[in-house]
Amino acid sequence: MKKSDDDSPRDRGFLRGLQNYGDREFSIYMRRAFAKSMGYTGNELSRPVVGIAYTHSRFNPCHRHFPELLEAIKRGVAAAGGLALEFPTTSLHESTLAPNSMKFRNLMAMDTEEMIRAQPMDAVVLMGGCDKTVPAQLMGAASAGKPAIQLIGGPQMTSRYEDERVGACTDCRKFWTQFRAGKLGQAEIDAVEGRLVTTAGTCAVMGTASTMACLTEALGLCLPGTAAIPAVHADRLRAAEATGAAAVKLIGAKRKPSQLVTEKSVENALRVLLALGGSTNAVIHLTAIAGRAGVKVSLDKLNALSDATPVLVNLKPVGNGYMEDFCAAGGMGALLRELKPLLHLDCMTVTGETLGERLEGDADAYVDRAIIAAHNKPLEPEGGLVALFGNLAPKGAILKRSAADAKLFEHEGRTVVFSSLADLAARIDDPKLDVEPHDILVLQNAGPHAPECMPEAGYLPIPKKLAQRGVKDMVRISDARMSGTAFGTIVLHITPDAASGGLLGLVRNGDRIRLSVKQRSIALKVDDAELKKRATAMPKPTEAPQRGYAKLFAEQILGADEGCDFKFLMPR
């Protein structure tokens, strides 16, 4: 590969990537003059520069502790002889973005990539936590081509509601289900609302944010032992300071994200995902991160790994514990040691150690078996996720079997179809809805090519009339995503999605669908002649957006099997 101009020693630090005015010395003079207006000395401007991608936002409660973490990173950079310069980027939070945060993950990845590339930094610390921020940052950093290290923001601590320990957001869903079923009144649900999220940080369970934090450590892209530290714990500040120092040590080393994300390290991350019983969203995000490094994630490979990787972590929504328990139980170090026989130990990490060397260093560390099971005494013998294929999903779909009802794994039922999110909202609680517990709920037009841009709508609520009868789970199918904090027998990411012409869009009320986890299949039982007739009668698609980022998204978005990245951002 041709060496870029800013790889030369004279263009490192604050003079990296000088603007071209036809006079190099004038460019230096101008840049330093403006920098000195901020109070920097010539000595400071001669140091190596560590950029800090700073995602603090008052719209992002998960990141409200970032100002304190930022100061800790700066201390670490300064102590190691560097100059720390933070810069703002897009910040994504799940509950405050419309139509959903997934639409803006690629925008944040583009922002992160271009700011890393354009600004004069020798390495970068990526500050992220909430679900889409960490994937976006790792995607951008992998493409930017500079040394990078991730600092995870950390999960929330739990709280109490009466005599129950609670934390977002599996418990959010549990209490809301009780409210819908009439078991809680308005006063009770209002009281719960004030107790679910009481500290800074991401969801307190093994949702998407915590899953991605753990996969980042498995990939070797953050400091060992830092994925699970709670957001408000003093160790999180110490981790931030150590991350700043580590960023300085990365300068000049051949440990860029694109070099650490390899076929082997991605396989390690998949093993961890399966052992965690982690979020289904992680399959899309890991596929996108790996894709930026030219590594393909195969759903067939996911199934092969799932057959040979046990579930070892007892956290909600799969088990009973919370992220603070996982941290206290030994965290990722303990889990990786249990998986050691299955891992590629020669994978390099951001510290310069191989994974095997890292695990040798903490071989005798404490582990709480109530939270992290031994490899030979697993919670479940097979991995938490499985990919399904068939005429309904020729390019795959995902089921989180560790959070599902095994009695529904081999199931055939009549479909109750919702053509859109609006249709779902209008009819799901209609007392006249023709639905029985054995039926299969189907949501169409909620995939990446739909106007809603693949929201976390796959967790279709149990119809109120059934919830009030005590029904807690049904087979639910869609081209949408599902929060990592959710649970149930839910088939997601149907690919191709309905809006791009997938068979899902041709399903009608009363059709029959066969789900077989054993056979890894999801099949619509309608003959080809009828499907052809339906396809001919399909209405024309809605008009595509005509301007701005929405237009770019509609034109460039790839399917779930390619990580929902943009076509033009994939490596050539």
Side-chain angles (χ1 to χ4, degrees):
M1 186 174 74
K2 183 180 178 181
K3 194 173 184 180
S4 63
D5 292 339
D6 65 0
D7 280 335
S8 62
R10 73 172 188 169
D11 285 329
R12 289 180 182 162
F14 199 70
L15 300 184
R16 177 187 282 268
L18 281 167
Q19 295 92 338
N20 184 2
Y21 299 124
D23 182 340
R24 173 179 165 77
E25 296 306 316
F26 178 72
S27 299
I28 295 173
Y29 165 71
M30 288 292 290
R31 180 172 288 186
R32 291 172 67 91
F34 277 101
K36 287 183 175 180
S37 76
M38 296 189 289
Y40 294 115
T41 66
N43 175 269
E44 288 175 306
L45 295 176
S46 68
R47 297 177 188 175
V49 175
V50 173
I52 304 172
Y54 187 50
T55 56
H56 179 257
S57 166
R58 295 300 290 178
F59 286 101
N60 193 337
C62 294
H63 293 188
R64 69 176 170 88
H65 59 310
F66 274 27
E68 191 175 21
L69 287 181
L70 175 65
E71 294 307 311
I73 296 170
K74 288 182 171 182
R75 290 198 302 270
V77 172
L83 175 62
L85 299 176
E86 75 269 24
F87 60 97
T89 72
T90 306
S91 182
L92 307 177
H93 178 67
E94 293 301 291
S95 66
T96 53
L97 283 167
N100 64 80
S101 64
M102 185 63 180
K103 178 177 179 179
F104 302 103
R105 185 201 65 180
N106 295 350
L107 178 65
M108 183 178 179
M110 292 167 64
D111 183 5
T112 303
E113 174 185 346
E114 298 303 336
M115 289 300 98
I116 292 172
R117 180 182 291 117
Q119 298 179 121
M121 65 190 76
D122 300 301
V124 62
V125 175
L126 308 165
M127 295 183 70
C130 198
D131 294 17
K132 309 302 178 295
T133 62
V134 171
Q137 289 181 319
L138 294 180
M139 290 163 67
S143 296
K146 289 182 181 178
I149 184 169
Q150 184 81 50
L151 176 68
I152 300 298
Q156 304 155 12
M157 300 286 279
T158 54
S159 180
R160 295 289 189 278
Y161 170 67
E162 296 183 349
D163 59 350
E164 288 194 64
R165 185 184 182 197
V166 297
C169 202
T170 301
D171 294 331
C172 307
R173 301 175 194 284
K174 178 185 76 173
F175 284 109
W176 191 254
T177 298
Q178 293 174 7
F179 176 65
R180 282 175 52 79
K183 296 179 181 179
L184 287 180
Q186 189 64 52
E188 288 88 354
I189 200 67
D190 288 346
V192 168
E193 182 181 301
R195 305 306 305 163
L196 288 167
V197 186
T198 55
T199 78
T202 57
C203 288
V205 299
M206 190 55 74
T208 302
S210 291
T211 300
M212 291 311 303
C214 293
L215 298 196
T216 300
E217 189 167 331
L219 288 167
L221 295 172
C222 66
L223 290 182
T226 62
I229 303 169
V232 296
H233 198 294
D235 282 347
R236 178 56 63 192
L237 291 171
R238 286 184 273 270
E241 188 168 329
T243 298
V248 177
K249 294 179 183 178
L250 273 175
I251 298 170
K254 294 182 179 179
R255 296 197 296 275
K256 300 173 184 177
S258 58
Q259 295 165 314
L260 299 179
V261 178
T262 64
E263 188 173 339
K264 287 183 177 181
S265 70
V266 169
E267 184 173 311
N268 286 345
L270 286 170
R271 292 275 193 191
V272 167
L273 171 61
L274 294 164
L276 292 170
S279 170
T280 52
N281 285 308
V283 178
I284 290 178
H285 296 322
L286 185 59
T287 299
I289 294 164
R292 294 296 185 94
V295 177
K296 183 171 177 57
V297 174
S298 161
L299 293 183
D300 287 318
K301 183 63 173 289
L302 173 70
N303 279 342
L305 295 176
S306 190
D307 289 342
T309 307
V311 175
L312 299 177
V313 177
N314 179 22
L315 295 192
K316 292 185 176 185
V318 172
N320 300 312
Y322 295 86
M323 281 300 294
E324 64 195 76
D325 304 320
F326 181 60
C327 182
M332 277 296 295
L335 178 61
L336 289 168
R337 290 195 302 275
E338 293 304 322
L339 293 174
K340 191 173 178 179
L342 303 176
L343 299 176
H344 298 287
L345 301 177
D346 57 340
C347 289
M348 183 58 64
T349 71
V350 75
T351 64
E353 293 180 303
T354 65
L355 178 59
E357 290 168 338
R358 175 257 166 104
L359 295 181
E360 286 298 321
D362 61 6
D364 298 321
Y366 169 77
V367 56
D368 180 355
R369 293 298 180 202
I371 298 296
I372 303 171
H375 186 272
N376 61 353
K377 295 181 179 179
L379 300 176
E380 297 180 20
E382 297 175 309
L385 276 64
V386 63
L388 307 172
F389 300 91
N391 68 340
L392 197 57
K395 293 187 178 181
I398 297 292
L399 171 70
K400 188 173 181 177
R401 60 179 168 186
S402 58
D405 184 348
K407 294 191 291 292
L408 294 173
F409 283 3
E410 304 299 315
H411 181 83
E412 183 176 318
R414 181 190 67 155
T415 60
V416 178
V417 180
F418 301 93
S419 61
S420 66
L421 289 172
D423 185 34
L424 175 68
R427 295 195 296 121
I428 189 67
D429 288 338
D430 186 342
K432 297 179 181 178
L433 181 67
D434 182 12
V435 63
E436 294 296 334
H438 196 72
D439 291 339
I440 294 176
L441 305 182
V442 175
L443 173 63
Q444 300 168 322
N445 296 305
H449 295 90
E452 286 79 7
C453 307
M454 207 179 189
E456 290 185 340
Y459 184 69
L460 278 69
I462 301 297
K464 184 174 283 189
K465 64 187 290 184
L466 297 184
Q468 291 172 338
R469 286 164 50 185
V471 176
K472 295 182 178 179
D473 196 10
M474 298 174 68
V475 176
R476 286 158 276 179
I477 297 173
S478 75
D479 47 11
R481 297 177 301 109
M482 176 177 80
S483 169
T485 65
F487 46 86
T489 309
I490 302 173
V491 179
L492 305 151
H493 310 177
I494 293 282
T495 307
D497 66 347
S500 64
L503 195 63
L504 181 68
L506 301 181
V507 181
R508 298 292 180 264
N509 279 318
D511 289 347
R512 299 194 70 78
I513 289 178
R514 172 69 184 171
L515 165 66
S516 173
V517 175
K518 183 178 181 180
Q519 299 296 324
R520 307 289 192 268
S521 67
I522 183 79
L524 175 64
K525 304 188 77 174
V526 176
D527 64 61
D528 290 342
E530 173 61 21
L531 291 174
K532 187 174 182 180
K533 179 181 176 182
R534 292 179 187 179
T536 303
M538 284 288 287
K540 293 181 179 179
T542 57
E543 185 178 357
Q546 295 301 303
R547 65 177 302 278
Y549 179 69
K551 183 176 189 294
L552 178 66
F553 188 99
E555 291 175 349
Q556 292 291 327
I557 192 68
L558 296 168
D561 59 317
E562 296 183 89
C564 296
D565 204 349
F566 286 163
K567 286 178 280 188
F568 77 98
L569 294 177
M570 299 295 286
R572 294 184 181 275

